[in-house]
Amino acid sequence: HVQLVESGGGSVQAGGSLRLSCKASGDTVSIDCMAWFRQAPGKGREGVAGIYIKGGGTYYGHSVNGRFTISQDNVKNTVYLQMDSLKPEDTAMYYCAAGSGWWLLLDKYWGQGTQVTVS
């Protein structure tokens, strides 16, 4: 089993930046991909960004491409989401996910979520 703990959410004005962290623990050798998803009130879940642990390949959702950057620290088993040029429409609960396969389809392990509010 893998445990995921997110941190770094908060409130920020439009145009500002935040960095989210997701620390994985437990059976981390069993996962090959980690990703960030978000869900705003009344909306469906949206894939934000994904990263492959071994190869380092990264993928982004259309609405955040060019503004957000996903990265990893393999020593700390932590994935980061640097969010720049934030917009009010980025307001959502952000969740970290981990597993194997295509990043948009990850659903095996989830964190508890961290709220991001952009005004």
Side-chain angles (χ1 to χ4, degrees), residues 38-46 89 91:
R38 68 186 182 186
Q39 188 163 19
K43 295 188 177 181
R45 188 174 68 193
E46 177 187 6
E89 50 263 45
T91 295

Side-chain angles (χ1 to χ4, degrees), residues 17-59:
S17 298
L18 283 174
R19 189 176 82 154
L20 306 183
S21 299
C22 175
K23 181 172 178 59
S25 61
D27 188 21
T28 56
V29 295
S30 69
I31 59 175
D32 62 18
C33 182
M34 293 180 68
W36 289 95
F37 292 81
R38 68 186 182 186
Q39 188 163 19
K43 295 188 177 181
R45 188 174 68 193
E46 177 187 6
V48 176
I51 187 166
Y52 285 85
I53 304 303
K54 292 183 179 179
T58 57
Y59 297 85

Side-chain angles (χ1 to χ4, degrees), residues 1 14 26 31 36 40 46 50 59-60 62 68 80 87 90 94 97:
H1 191 71
I31 59 175
W36 289 95
E46 177 187 6
Y59 297 85
Y60 295 93
H62 177 74
F68 291 9
Y80 303 98
K87 305 176 181 180
D90 295 317
Y94 284 69

